[in-house]
């Protein structure tokens, strides 16, 4: 019987980011920002249920496979403080439409919410996407995730969809039968 191979290793260690790579004054004291590695996968997916804290989160870690940490690390962020993982943003530039970038998954530790950390991560992602020639950023969330919807609207995203689901505009069956999603798009100009 063959033993499974070790997971592929990252080609380089985590890339610490310079404060200059972020909008001026946006990095809170005591916070370090770096690129994720595949070694971060278990830590990030391990906090999703706790950080989201509602019943529909049991399958959420499945939408964040290790490949995002192996192949899309150069457009994603991990934020850490003295307590460990503080926040993360997993995003990428579209391979099909080089004018678009996509924010796939974001989380902020509950005790740090409301302090602008998510906004800082989004602004850093916007700046890098703009520098790479992107003119818009897209994202999605579930119809029940009102907190995410409010955050995206506050960040300047427009809601997209094809029908009303649970009182909000959403895309019916976006991720398969019964898996509706609220779409967001934001211009970078």
């Amino acid at each position: 019987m063959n033993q499974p191979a070790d997971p592929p290793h990252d080609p380089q260690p985590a890339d610490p980011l310079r404060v200059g790579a972020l909008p001026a004054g946006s990095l809170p004291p005591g916070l370090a920002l770096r690129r994720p590695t595949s070694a971060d996968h278990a830590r990030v997916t391990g906090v999703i249920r706790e950080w989201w804290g509602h019943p529909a989160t049991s399958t959420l870690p499945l939408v964040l496979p290790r490949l995002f940490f192996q192949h899309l690390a150069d457009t994603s962020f991990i934020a850490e403080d003295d307590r460990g993982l503080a926040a993360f943003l997993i995003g990428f530039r579209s391979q099909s439409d080089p004018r678009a970038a996509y924010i796939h998954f974001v989380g902020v530790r509950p005790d740090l919410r409301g302090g602008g950390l998510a906004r800082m991560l989004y602004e850093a992602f916007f700046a890098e996407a703009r520098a790479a020639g992107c003119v818009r950023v897209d994202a999605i969330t579930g119809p029940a995730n009102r907190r995410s919807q409010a955050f995206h609207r506050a960040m300047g995203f427009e809601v997209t969809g094809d029908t009303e689901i649970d009182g909000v505009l959403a895309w019916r069956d976006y991720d398969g039968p019964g898996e509706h999603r609220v779409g967001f798009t934001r211009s970078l100009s």
Side-chain angles (χ1 to χ4, degrees), residues 44-83:
V44 170
T45 57
V47 300
I48 290 173
R49 287 185 186 103
E50 175 190 345
W51 288 12
W52 270 253
H54 52 83
T57 61
S58 64
T59 58
L60 272 179
L62 299 176
V63 300
L64 194 55
R66 183 179 296 274
L67 70 90
F68 282 91
F69 296 78
Q70 294 169 315
H71 300 287
L72 302 168
D74 65 331
T75 53
S76 298
F77 304 103
I78 294 284
E80 297 172 308
D81 63 11
D82 59 353
R83 291 187 47 210

Side-chain angles (χ1 to χ4, degrees), residues 52 63-64 68 72 75-77 88-94 100-107 118-129 134 136-141 148 151-152 155 157 174 181-186 188:
W52 270 253
V63 300
L64 194 55
F68 282 91
L72 302 168
T75 53
S76 298
F77 304 103
F88 61 89
L89 182 148
I90 307 299
F92 55 90
R93 292 178 297 275
S94 172
Y102 182 81
I103 295 176
H104 179 67
F105 219 103
V106 179
R119 176 176 289 280
M120 184 268 307
L121 291 174
Y122 271 63
E123 292 293 343
F125 184 82
F126 295 161
E128 289 190 354
C134 296
R136 77 169 199 276
V137 174
D138 298 327
I140 60 168
T141 195
S148 175
F151 174 78
H152 282 89
M155 290 297 299
F157 284 85
Y174 182 90
R181 299 292 181 260
V182 177
F184 301 101
T185 191
R186 183 187 190 275
L188 291 177

